[in-house]
Amino acid sequence: MKKEENIIVGISIGDLNGIGGEIVLKTFEDPRILEFCTPVIFASVKVMSFYKNHFKMDMNFNGINHINQIVIGKVNVLNCWKENVAINFGKEDFKIGEYAIKSLESATSALKEGTIDVLVTAPINKHNIQSEKFKFPGHTDYLAQELEGESLMFMITDSLKVGLLTDHVPVSEIANHITPELIEKKISTVYKSLQRDFQISKPKIAVLGINPHTGDNGVIGNEDDTILRPTLAKIKDSGKLVYGPYAADSFFGSNNYKNFDAIIASYHDQGLIPFKTLSFGEGVNYTAGLNKVRTSPDHGTAFEIAGKGIASASSFKEALFSGIQIYKHRLEYDKLVKRV
């Protein structure tokens, strides 16, 4: 069987008290999914059996203790721990955070070794994962350290793609982080990702301003005029189709975003509020720029509905299929580059 037809997708289970287990099982309850990939859930058979019984799902697992025991065409569950875990839906628990990290670290190790092809991460709680050993604000920062490349949070759907110059940075520090070097690096990452991961040969990219109304000629801050504009002009002179800065308040409401292959926002909420408003439940968080493919749903642990059986698996499914598609696109792109 060719690699393109036998993609192994690793899944880190996320916070066990959240909706991760539910949306993972809802996704693979449909056996047709196994025609597209072979999943490996990094958790434990005991935990997944608990979810299966709690949510009254009819499905079988192939429990394994080592990654080389994967059975193609089955839902594999790799035992990352053997002990029983007390799951209390909706409760924040630092012990549960430790299991989320065990799952993530084991899955990341398999991704680095090439025993899985794609990583899809279920939501974690950013607070209860913190410890002396793990001091990252989230998945993206951890994976940026563990994998090769320049990571970028890239929120994607079929018709909308939003990247960020700065992601988990306090609002008071945003302007200090945005430098010509950062702008060039992030735009380069988005450009390469659009070509390699999404098969867009000549990407067209819009960049949103740092200040309201892009500073109004210095009346509301000068960073757009002194840092952003000259850097974008330099990048455009190099041949890339990069435009901006655009005033963020009207950019999405005017449908201007539809004229571009990707939009780069200056900071987290500037990009993610319109993205989630336009695509919630269908969006995917993709970590672009790394040597491996990682995707995630565009929502969190949803403690308020955890355990109730009402969580939607739509964004997780989109993350799964996006990861598979990006992986295939990379194989095709790399073959073409080798031929040239």
Side-chain angles (χ1 to χ4, degrees):
M1 188 176 281
K2 295 179 182 177
K3 191 63 172 172
E4 297 94 315
E5 300 167 354
N6 181 23
I7 295 172
I8 298 175
V9 178
I11 295 137
S12 60
I13 198 60
D15 193 293
L16 300 175
N17 287 346
I19 63 170
E22 179 184 350
I23 60 176
V24 169
L25 288 187
K26 281 181 174 177
T27 297
F28 295 111
E29 194 177 25
D30 184 347
R32 293 174 298 177
I33 300 287
L34 300 178
E35 297 173 14
F36 298 93
C37 68
T38 292
V40 185
I41 303 168
F42 289 78
S44 78
V45 171
K46 290 178 180 178
V47 161
M48 299 313 295
S49 296
F50 168 83
Y51 289 138
K52 175 182 149 180
N53 294 332
H54 179 85
F55 295 111
K56 297 179 173 58
M57 293 185 178
D58 181 22
M59 61 186 301
N60 296 312
F61 309 123
N62 176 54
I64 59 176
N65 294 312
H66 194 276
I67 196 71
N68 63 13
Q69 297 172 325
I70 292 170
V71 175
I72 301 301
K74 300 286 187 183
V75 178
N76 297 272
V77 178
L78 177 65
N79 287 307
C80 298
W81 59 84
K82 294 291 181 68
E83 67 271 20
N84 292 316
V85 180
I87 294 174
N88 296 292
F89 289 115
K91 299 287 178 62
E92 184 177 322
D93 184 337
F94 278 89
K95 187 64 180 174
I96 293 296
E98 291 176 13
Y99 286 110
I101 297 309
K102 282 184 181 180
S103 173
L104 176 61
E105 289 177 339
S106 182
T108 303
S109 177
L111 187 67
K112 289 164 71 173
E113 293 166 0
T115 47
I116 62 173
D117 302 311
V118 174
L119 173 61
V120 183
T121 57
I124 52 175
N125 178 288
K126 290 183 173 62
H127 182 234
N128 72 17
I129 59 169
Q130 302 301 319
S131 68
E132 285 301 312
K133 288 174 58 181
F134 194 93
K135 296 180 179 179
F136 300 92
H139 286 115
T140 304
D141 305 86
Y142 170 73
L143 292 167
Q145 173 188 282
E146 293 297 310
L147 302 173
E148 298 171 11
E150 296 287 350
S151 72
L152 175 128
M153 183 186 292
F154 207 11
M155 306 300 293
I156 61 172
T157 67
D158 287 341
S159 59
L160 176 62
K161 293 173 179 60
V162 177
L164 305 175
L165 289 180
T166 63
D167 39 55
H168 296 129
V169 172
V171 173
S172 61
E173 299 176 17
I174 289 167
N176 295 331
H177 280 75
I178 297 177
T179 63
E181 294 76 21
L182 178 78
I183 296 164
E184 288 185 34
K185 183 172 73 173
K186 295 293 186 180
I187 289 176
S188 176
T189 300
V190 168
Y191 194 87
K192 289 175 183 174
S193 178
L194 290 171
Q195 289 184 317
R196 186 184 183 204
D197 301 333
F198 300 99
Q199 298 185 325
I200 300 169
S201 59
K202 192 70 174 174
K204 189 178 177 184
I205 299 170
V207 181
L208 303 183
I210 300 168
N211 296 297
H213 309 294
T214 63
D216 264 349
N217 296 314
V219 176
I220 318 174
N222 61 11
E223 291 87 356
D224 292 281
D225 290 332
T226 61
I227 300 171
L228 204 48
R229 289 185 198 279
T231 306
L232 295 183
K234 177 184 173 184
I235 294 169
K236 194 171 182 181
D237 286 344
S238 73
K240 290 185 173 71
L241 302 179
V242 176
Y243 302 88
Y246 291 97
D249 60 348
S250 59
F251 185 81
F252 291 92
S254 66
N255 287 331
N256 196 13
Y257 71 92
K258 294 181 179 179
N259 296 317
F260 298 92
D261 298 304
I263 299 95
I264 300 180
S266 288
Y267 56 93
H268 186 279
D269 285 12
Q270 186 191 61
L272 266 64
I273 288 174
F275 178 85
K276 292 189 177 185
T277 300
L278 291 166
S279 65
F280 198 79
E282 298 175 359
V284 172
N285 180 356
Y286 169 47
T287 307
L290 297 178
N291 64 323
K292 301 289 185 179
V293 177
R294 174 262 173 166
T295 60
S296 181
D298 68 353
H299 57 73
T301 56
F303 281 158
E304 66 278 6
I305 62 169
K308 297 179 180 178
I310 58 174
S312 170
S314 60
S315 183
F316 187 87
K317 287 180 182 176
E318 290 292 335
L320 175 71
F321 283 114
S322 292
I324 293 169
Q325 186 178 54
I326 289 167
Y327 181 79
K328 288 181 176 180
H329 284 171
R330 284 191 172 192
L331 289 178
E332 293 171 11
Y333 181 87
D334 293 346
K335 284 179 183 175
L336 286 171
V337 169
K338 283 181 180 179
R339 287 178 193 153
V340 174

